[in-house]
Amino acid sequence: MNQLRTIGAAILRRHGFFSIDQIIRATKLSRQKCRDVLVLFCQEKLIRQVKKGRKEHVPGRPPIYAMIYRVIDRKRLTARIGPRRCENTVQDRMWYIMRNKFKSDGSFNLRDLMILSGAKKGMARWYLKALRREGYIIPSRKAGPGVEWRLTGNFGPERPYICSERKQKREDKSLLNAVKMIQRKRQIRPALNRKRAV
Amino acid sequence: MMKNHFVITKNVKKFQMAVQRINHNRRGVERMALVTGEVGLGKTEAALHYGAHNGAIIIRMWEMMTGHWLLRELVREIGVEPAWRTEKLVDQLKEHLSPKPRTIILDEVDRFLKNQDSKKIAVLETLRDIHDVCHCPMVFVGEEWIDKKMKRLPRLYDRIVEIVRFEKFNISDVKFFVGELSEYRFNDDAIEEITQESGGRIRPIMNLINQAEDSARLNQLKAITARDLK
């Protein structure tokens, strides 16, 4: 995550007013960097400077100001720090074909994506794989040549953002597995107790 | 192996030209087009290809579709959560479509013209209202008799400025189509045979090309003749 996003996320975590010192403490970035980003957000009218009070002056040091800010547009700030997406990319076109083919025919396949969206075979296969991993689509049978795919819900015209960070996914998976293990143990224990009682 | 790419046939070119012509900013000039043709000539595929590359909204009309259902579908396609009341739905459409008009393609419109059902005609009239208020280009796609039936609705028919008829493939079209899709060379007699057997429709043509390619691969042929198709 870059510095702008780190600072943006720290601002969003604080509900309402915040000071530059609070942001520095939360992000552990230098004062200058934090100030630069906050000035940029002010220029973009995402946040507003409310107060600029001078801090207690230490002799021999430059003066420091305690600046207090307020978020003007939370939605726009979220969009600003979020990943930016281009329009009419190959992925957009593939998502469009998937939705419309699913609506009209009930399923779609790799060939539909390649022919109608103009995607290369490798790209279309990667996209199907990625969407399947995220749970947006399911195959009609065991994956292989000529398999038909279906959407698992109505996700709207905006194509979903696919996270390419696989490492994080694995961590999530391990966490999920741990939760499942605990749930299983909880289910097994009462059954064991019942057996012992008998 | 047959190539996987979209072939811009004569019909597709006509479709794209017509939609381009109704995409204008002139006030007072209508923006409706009608696409007709028999089954299996690639009308829906042409619409999907155009929509994917130009960001058009495609709505597939259902037999039971009501005006409210259509409005909800349209609002959902814009990317907004549809409101519950019809009045609000119209407001949502106005709010999002008026500043940025998008082409709306309506497939299987012929279902609404089969019989003079007042509810179905009301749906078509709703579309006319959206066209008039939001100024967005509209393309109606349906079977070959749709233009005759649409004449019964003079207020809607008057607004149609482009009529595109998808025609069956003749020998030259089939030759072009085969040349674009197949890796093998097809002799003239094979092209004639394909045109006759397929009746100029895309799906049978594709099946015949596939069969011919299979036999060519098995027999290690370089050119395919009419005899290889039997």
Side-chain angles (χ1 to χ4, degrees):
Chain A
M1 208 161 29
N2 61 17
Q3 285 165 0
L4 190 132
R5 279 186 195 164
T6 314
I7 293 167
I11 294 169
L12 286 172
R13 270 198 296 274
R14 301 203 66 85
H15 297 282
F17 294 88
F18 59 91
S19 71
I20 190 164
D21 294 304
Q22 284 170 333
I23 298 300
I24 291 165
R25 240 175 284 139
T27 57
K28 286 169 188 158
L29 291 170
S30 69
R31 191 177 190 88
Q32 195 189 342
K33 273 171 188 163
C34 284
R35 197 177 52 218
D36 289 348
V37 173
L38 291 179
V39 166
L40 183 76
F41 283 162
C42 279
Q43 282 169 355
E44 289 176 8
K45 292 186 178 167
L46 299 170
I47 58 170
R48 192 158 67 92
Q49 196 177 313
V50 180
K51 202 179 157 191
K52 191 184 175 186
R54 196 170 166 172
K55 273 188 164 183
E56 199 178 313
H57 182 61
V58 181
R61 283 197 171 187
I64 296 173
Y65 295 94
M67 291 184 280
I68 294 171
Y69 297 88
R70 183 169 78 83
V71 180
I72 301 172
D73 199 336
R74 215 177 160 74
K75 263 188 189 174
R76 265 182 57 218
L77 181 61
T78 316
R80 175 72 175 82
I81 63 164
R84 284 187 189 181
R85 278 177 276 178
C86 300
E87 277 186 15
N88 204 15
T89 56
V90 181
Q91 283 188 28
D92 275 327
R93 277 183 259 147
M94 282 196 281
W95 180 248
Y96 181 93
I97 297 297
M98 278 178 197
R99 284 189 68 246
N100 284 299
K101 270 274 167 190
F102 178 68
K103 270 202 288 183
S104 61
D105 302 346
S107 65
F108 54 88
N109 56 27
L110 182 74
R111 212 165 158 268
D112 292 330
L113 298 189
M114 283 158 67
I115 292 174
L116 295 168
S117 69
K120 295 269 164 61
K121 194 175 184 178
M123 177 73 171
R125 281 179 71 178
W126 171 82
Y127 196 55
L128 283 175
K129 218 169 156 183
L131 286 178
R132 188 197 182 178
R133 200 171 55 219
E134 300 277 333
Y136 288 103
I137 57 170
I138 46 165
S140 55
R141 57 178 167 81
K142 200 184 164 201
V147 68
E148 293 284 322
W149 296 87
R150 284 186 289 124
L151 286 174
T152 52
N154 191 0
F155 301 108
E158 286 269 304
R159 93 177 135 81
Y161 177 71
I162 292 169
C163 182
S164 55
E165 289 167 27
R166 297 195 75 184
K167 201 179 165 189
Q168 203 183 338
K169 282 290 297 177
R170 270 184 210 145
E171 276 169 16
D172 289 351
K173 245 185 189 174
S174 64
L175 195 79
L176 246 171
N177 287 342
V179 171
K180 273 181 191 169
M181 280 275 281
I182 292 163
Q183 281 175 344
R184 235 178 274 152
K185 271 181 189 171
R186 274 181 192 160
Q187 281 170 357
I188 292 164
R189 246 177 223 159
L192 277 173
N193 291 343
R194 250 179 274 139
K195 265 187 186 175
R196 271 175 206 156
V198 170
Chain B
M1 268 301 262
M2 232 164 41
K3 290 173 201 163
N4 286 323
H5 72 91
F6 191 79
V7 183
I8 307 286
T9 58
K10 206 167 64 185
N11 289 332
V12 176
K13 260 184 213 166
K14 276 199 284 183
F15 177 89
Q16 289 180 349
M17 292 284 280
V19 184
Q20 284 297 329
R21 259 178 260 141
I22 58 165
N23 266 291
H24 58 76
N25 296 328
R26 291 185 288 274
R27 288 273 159 149
V29 184
E30 307 299 346
R31 301 173 181 84
M32 274 193 186
L34 188 64
V35 180
T36 68
E38 280 182 32
V39 187
L41 294 179
K43 298 186 293 291
T44 307
E45 299 288 300
L48 269 174
H49 182 261
Y50 179 85
H53 287 79
N54 297 282
I57 299 168
I58 294 189
I59 305 279
R60 186 190 189 272
M61 307 294 267
W62 290 72
E63 189 75 45
M64 299 286 284
M65 208 168 213
T66 57
H68 187 80
W69 181 357
L70 175 77
L71 290 175
R72 279 180 74 87
E73 280 283 315
L74 273 171
V75 171
R76 207 171 280 140
E77 285 301 313
I78 295 163
V80 182
E81 187 57 37
W84 187 251
R85 294 178 65 187
T86 313
E87 187 192 343
K88 290 266 179 200
L89 286 170
V90 174
D91 286 344
Q92 282 179 322
L93 275 179
K94 271 192 227 166
E95 190 188 327
H96 291 91
L97 278 181
S98 296
K100 267 191 203 168
R102 282 171 71 184
T103 310
I104 300 172
I105 302 172
L106 300 137
D107 198 10
E108 315 264 4
V109 179
D110 45 290
R111 289 179 169 176
F112 286 77
L113 294 158
K114 270 181 197 165
N115 39 27
Q116 288 280 28
D117 188 353
S118 60
K119 278 183 187 170
K120 288 184 175 176
I121 289 179
V123 175
L124 293 175
E125 292 292 333
T126 310
L127 286 170
R128 181 172 67 88
D129 292 335
I130 295 166
H131 166 265
D132 290 353
V133 172
C134 304
H135 306 290
C136 42
M138 259 182 209
V139 183
F140 297 104
V141 182
E143 307 259 312
E144 73 268 25
W145 43 262
I146 184 180
D147 51 336
K148 283 170 197 157
K149 296 247 172 171
M150 216 169 233
K151 278 180 189 166
R152 285 188 210 153
L153 308 166
R155 273 175 291 183
L156 192 68
Y157 194 75
D158 279 355
R159 283 167 171 78
I160 292 168
V161 285
E162 292 282 338
I163 297 179
V164 180
R165 278 177 226 285
F166 270 54
E167 283 153 15
K168 285 180 181 174
F169 282 13
N170 54 28
I171 293 176
S172 62
D173 296 331
V174 173
K175 198 173 183 178
F176 172 72
F177 194 75
V178 169
E180 283 282 310
L181 280 185
S182 181
E183 288 173 352
Y184 292 90
R185 194 163 56 79
F186 281 68
N187 286 353
D188 287 346
D189 56 339
I191 299 281
E192 266 178 48
E193 184 71 26
I194 290 173
T195 316
Q196 269 182 9
E197 264 194 50
S198 65
R201 292 200 177 124
I202 291 178
R203 216 163 291 136
I205 293 173
M206 301 263 280
N207 290 338
L208 285 166
I209 296 171
N210 204 20
Q211 280 173 19
E213 283 194 339
D214 279 346
S215 74
R217 212 171 298 125
L218 275 173
N219 302 317
Q220 293 176 341
L221 302 172
K222 281 181 182 168
I224 295 164
T225 59
R227 219 180 58 191
D228 302 318
L229 291 166
K230 282 168 189 167

